[in-house]
Amino acid sequence: MTATMTQTLTANLPNFINPFHRPAGAFDLTPLTRALVLIAGTAMTAVCIFALSRAVFGYAPDLPHLRNIAVVFHVTTVIPCVPLGLYLLIAPKGTAMHKQLGKLWVALMVITATSTLFIYDGMALSWIHIFVPVTYRAAWLIVRSARKGDMKTHRKEIVGLYLGALMIPGIVAFALPGRLMNVMMFGWPV
């Protein structure tokens, strides 16, 4: 579908249901940030799909992690955040669809961060739990800045949350032996 056809088909739709309506002042990423988000998001999505596929098709060893409901809940909420966040950062901003999916993404990130508080070794939280208050702060600033129309802050916080609180723990989850994603990816039980 060409841009002209899209404009023709959506010209008579009210702005609140037109998925292609872009309000004035909608932000986009710089080319460098866009490339970084594309590379990180695509790579992490691919690695997650590969690891989950190995587990689903029986190529991963026994996964005792899945006996912990907090781990299952955490993985279930965090996995969709990777491709959804990538889409939101790359797709047109300010549309009705962007706003609705953005609310879903922020909610999933907050739920994911909260579920992390129930995953710990004994009674001690680890350094990775620092991303919980980081996520809470960023989620609050994302919503507040969007409501105020402060797109510069909104963009900064979204990109920071995506690359910081989502990609860094994701890389750690795959890199540290014994973690669920590491075991599913490489098959190295501890």
Coordinates of all heavy atoms in Angstrom, one line a residue, residues 102-137:
G102 N 2.0 1.9 23.8 CA 2.9 2.5 24.7 C 2.5 2.3 26.2 O 3.3 2.0 27.1
K103 N 1.2 2.4 26.4 CA 0.6 2.2 27.7 C 0.8 0.7 28.1 O 1.2 0.4 29.3 CB -0.9 2.6 27.8 CG -1.1 4.1 27.7 CD -2.6 4.4 27.5 CE -2.8 5.9 27.3 NZ -4.2 6.2 27.0
L104 N 0.6 -0.2 27.2 CA 0.8 -1.6 27.4 C 2.2 -1.9 27.7 O 2.5 -2.6 28.7 CB 0.3 -2.4 26.2 CG 0.6 -3.9 26.3 CD1 -0.2 -4.6 27.4 CD2 0.2 -4.5 24.9
W105 N 3.1 -1.3 27.0 CA 4.6 -1.5 27.2 C 5.0 -1.0 28.6 O 5.7 -1.8 29.3 CB 5.4 -0.9 26.1 CG 6.8 -1.2 26.2 CD1 7.5 -2.4 25.8 CD2 7.9 -0.4 26.7 NE1 8.8 -2.3 26.0 CE2 9.1 -1.1 26.6 CE3 7.9 0.9 27.2 CZ2 10.3 -0.6 27.0 CZ3 9.1 1.4 27.6 CH2 10.3 0.7 27.5
V106 N 4.6 0.1 28.9 CA 5.0 0.7 30.3 C 4.4 -0.2 31.4 O 5.1 -0.5 32.3 CB 4.6 2.2 30.4 CG1 4.7 2.6 31.9 CG2 5.4 3.0 29.5
A107 N 3.1 -0.6 31.2 CA 2.5 -1.5 32.2 C 3.3 -2.8 32.3 O 3.6 -3.3 33.4 CB 1.1 -1.8 31.9
L108 N 3.7 -3.4 31.2 CA 4.4 -4.7 31.2 C 5.8 -4.5 31.9 O 6.3 -5.3 32.6 CB 4.6 -5.2 29.8 CG 3.4 -5.9 29.2 CD1 3.7 -6.2 27.7 CD2 3.1 -7.2 29.9
M109 N 6.4 -3.3 31.6 CA 7.7 -3.1 32.3 C 7.6 -2.9 33.8 O 8.4 -3.4 34.5 CB 8.4 -1.8 31.7 CG 8.9 -2.0 30.2 SD 10.2 -3.1 30.1 CE 11.5 -2.3 31.0
V110 N 6.6 -2.2 34.2 CA 6.3 -2.1 35.7 C 6.0 -3.4 36.3 O 6.5 -3.8 37.4 CB 5.3 -1.0 36.0 CG1 4.8 -1.1 37.4 CG2 5.7 0.3 35.6
I111 N 5.2 -4.2 35.7 CA 4.8 -5.6 36.2 C 6.1 -6.4 36.2 O 6.3 -7.2 37.2 CB 3.7 -6.2 35.3 CG1 2.4 -5.4 35.5 CG2 3.6 -7.7 35.6 CD1 1.3 -5.8 34.5
T112 N 6.9 -6.4 35.2 CA 8.1 -7.1 35.1 C 9.1 -6.8 36.2 O 9.6 -7.6 36.9 CB 8.8 -6.9 33.7 OG1 8.0 -7.4 32.7 CG2 10.2 -7.6 33.7
A113 N 9.2 -5.4 36.5 CA 10.1 -5.0 37.5 C 9.6 -5.4 38.9 O 10.4 -5.9 39.7 CB 10.2 -3.5 37.5
T114 N 8.3 -5.4 39.1 CA 7.7 -5.8 40.4 C 7.9 -7.3 40.6 O 8.2 -7.7 41.7 CB 6.2 -5.4 40.4 OG1 6.1 -4.0 40.2 CG2 5.6 -5.8 41.7
S115 N 7.7 -8.1 39.5 CA 7.9 -9.5 39.7 C 9.3 -9.9 40.0 O 9.6 -10.9 40.7 CB 7.5 -10.3 38.4 OG 8.4 -10.0 37.3
T116 N 10.3 -9.0 39.6 CA 11.7 -9.3 40.0 C 11.9 -9.3 41.5 O 12.8 -10.0 42.0 CB 12.6 -8.2 39.3 OG1 12.3 -8.2 37.9 CG2 14.0 -8.4 39.5
L117 N 11.1 -8.5 42.2 CA 11.3 -8.4 43.7 C 11.0 -9.8 44.3 O 11.4 -10.0 45.5 CB 10.4 -7.4 44.2 CG 10.7 -5.9 43.8 CD1 9.7 -5.0 44.3 CD2 12.1 -5.5 44.3
F118 N 10.3 -10.7 43.6 CA 10.0 -12.0 44.2 C 11.0 -13.1 43.7 O 10.8 -14.2 44.0 CB 8.6 -12.4 43.8 CG 7.6 -11.4 44.4 CD1 7.1 -10.4 43.7 CD2 7.2 -11.5 45.7 CE1 6.2 -9.4 44.2 CE2 6.3 -10.6 46.3 CZ 5.8 -9.6 45.5
I119 N 12.0 -12.7 43.0 CA 13.1 -13.6 42.5 C 14.4 -13.2 43.2 O 15.0 -12.2 42.9 CB 13.3 -13.5 41.0 CG1 11.9 -13.7 40.3 CG2 14.3 -14.4 40.5 CD1 12.0 -13.4 38.8
Y120 N 14.8 -14.0 44.1 CA 16.0 -13.7 44.9 C 16.6 -15.0 45.4 O 15.9 -16.0 45.6 CB 15.8 -12.7 46.0 CG 14.6 -13.0 46.9 CD1 14.8 -13.9 48.0 CD2 13.4 -12.5 46.6 CE1 13.7 -14.1 48.8 CE2 12.3 -12.8 47.4 CZ 12.4 -13.6 48.5 OH 11.4 -13.9 49.3
D121 N 17.8 -15.0 45.8 CA 18.5 -16.1 46.3 C 18.5 -16.0 47.8 O 19.1 -15.1 48.4 CB 20.0 -16.2 45.8 CG 20.7 -17.4 46.2 OD1 20.0 -18.4 46.5 OD2 21.9 -17.4 46.1
G122 N 17.8 -16.9 48.5 CA 17.6 -16.8 49.9 C 16.8 -15.6 50.3 O 15.7 -15.4 49.8
M123 N 17.4 -14.7 51.1 CA 16.7 -13.4 51.4 C 17.4 -12.2 50.9 O 17.1 -11.1 51.3 CB 16.6 -13.3 53.0 CG 15.6 -14.3 53.5 SD 13.9 -14.2 52.9 CE 13.4 -12.7 53.6
A124 N 18.4 -12.5 50.0 CA 19.2 -11.4 49.6 C 18.9 -11.0 48.1 O 18.8 -11.8 47.3 CB 20.7 -11.7 49.6
L125 N 18.7 -9.7 47.9 CA 18.5 -9.2 46.5 C 19.9 -9.0 45.9 O 20.9 -8.8 46.7 CB 17.7 -7.9 46.5 CG 16.3 -8.0 47.1 CD1 15.7 -6.6 47.1 CD2 15.5 -8.9 46.3
S126 N 20.0 -9.1 44.6 CA 21.3 -8.9 44.0 C 21.4 -7.5 43.3 O 20.4 -6.8 43.3 CB 21.5 -10.0 43.0 OG 20.7 -9.8 41.9
W127 N 22.5 -7.3 42.7 CA 22.8 -6.0 42.1 C 21.8 -5.8 40.9 O 21.5 -4.6 40.6 CB 24.2 -5.9 41.6 CG 24.5 -6.9 40.5 CD1 25.0 -8.1 40.6 CD2 24.3 -6.7 39.1 NE1 25.1 -8.7 39.4 CE2 24.7 -7.9 38.4 CE3 23.8 -5.6 38.3 CZ2 24.6 -8.0 37.0 CZ3 23.8 -5.8 36.9 CH2 24.1 -7.0 36.3
I128 N 21.3 -6.8 40.3 CA 20.4 -6.7 39.2 C 19.1 -6.0 39.6 O 18.4 -5.4 38.8 CB 20.2 -8.0 38.5 CG1 19.7 -7.9 37.1 CG2 19.2 -8.9 39.2 CD1 20.8 -7.8 36.1
H129 N 18.7 -6.1 40.9 CA 17.5 -5.5 41.4 C 17.5 -4.0 41.4 O 16.5 -3.3 41.6 CB 17.2 -6.0 42.8 CG 16.7 -7.5 42.7 ND1 17.6 -8.5 42.9 CD2 15.5 -8.1 42.6 CE1 17.0 -9.7 42.8 NE2 15.7 -9.4 42.6
I130 N 18.7 -3.4 41.1 CA 18.8 -1.9 41.0 C 17.9 -1.4 39.8 O 17.4 -0.3 39.8 CB 20.2 -1.4 40.8 CG1 20.3 0.1 41.0 CG2 20.8 -1.8 39.5 CD1 20.0 0.6 42.4
F131 N 17.6 -2.3 38.9 CA 16.8 -1.9 37.8 C 15.3 -1.7 38.1 O 14.5 -1.1 37.4 CB 16.9 -2.8 36.6 CG 18.3 -2.7 36.0 CD1 19.3 -3.7 36.2 CD2 18.6 -1.6 35.2 CE1 20.5 -3.6 35.6 CE2 19.9 -1.5 34.6 CZ 20.9 -2.5 34.8
V132 N 14.9 -2.2 39.3 CA 13.5 -2.1 39.7 C 13.2 -0.6 40.0 O 12.2 0.0 39.4 CB 13.2 -3.0 41.0 CG1 11.8 -2.7 41.5 CG2 13.3 -4.4 40.6
P133 N 13.9 0.1 40.9 CA 13.6 1.5 41.1 C 13.8 2.4 39.8 O 13.2 3.4 39.6 CB 14.4 2.0 42.2 CG 15.5 0.9 42.4 CD 14.9 -0.3 41.8
V134 N 14.8 2.0 39.0 CA 15.1 2.7 37.8 C 13.9 2.6 36.9 O 13.5 3.6 36.2 CB 16.4 2.1 37.1 CG1 16.5 2.6 35.7 CG2 17.6 2.4 37.9
T135 N 13.3 1.4 36.8 CA 12.1 1.2 35.9 C 10.9 2.0 36.5 O 10.2 2.6 35.7 CB 11.8 -0.3 35.9 OG1 12.9 -1.0 35.3 CG2 10.5 -0.5 35.0
Y136 N 10.7 2.0 37.8 CA 9.6 2.7 38.4 C 9.7 4.2 38.1 O 8.8 4.9 37.7 CB 9.5 2.5 39.9 CG 9.1 1.1 40.3 CD1 9.4 0.7 41.6 CD2 8.4 0.3 39.5 CE1 9.0 -0.5 42.1 CE2 8.0 -1.0 39.9 CZ 8.3 -1.4 41.2 OH 7.9 -2.6 41.6
R137 N 10.9 4.7 38.3 CA 11.2 6.2 38.0 C 10.9 6.5 36.6 O 10.3 7.5 36.2 CB 12.6 6.5 38.4 CG 13.0 8.0 38.2 CD 14.5 8.2 38.3 NE 14.9 9.5 37.7 CZ 15.1 9.7 36.4 NH1 15.0 8.7 35.6 NH2 15.5 10.9 36.0

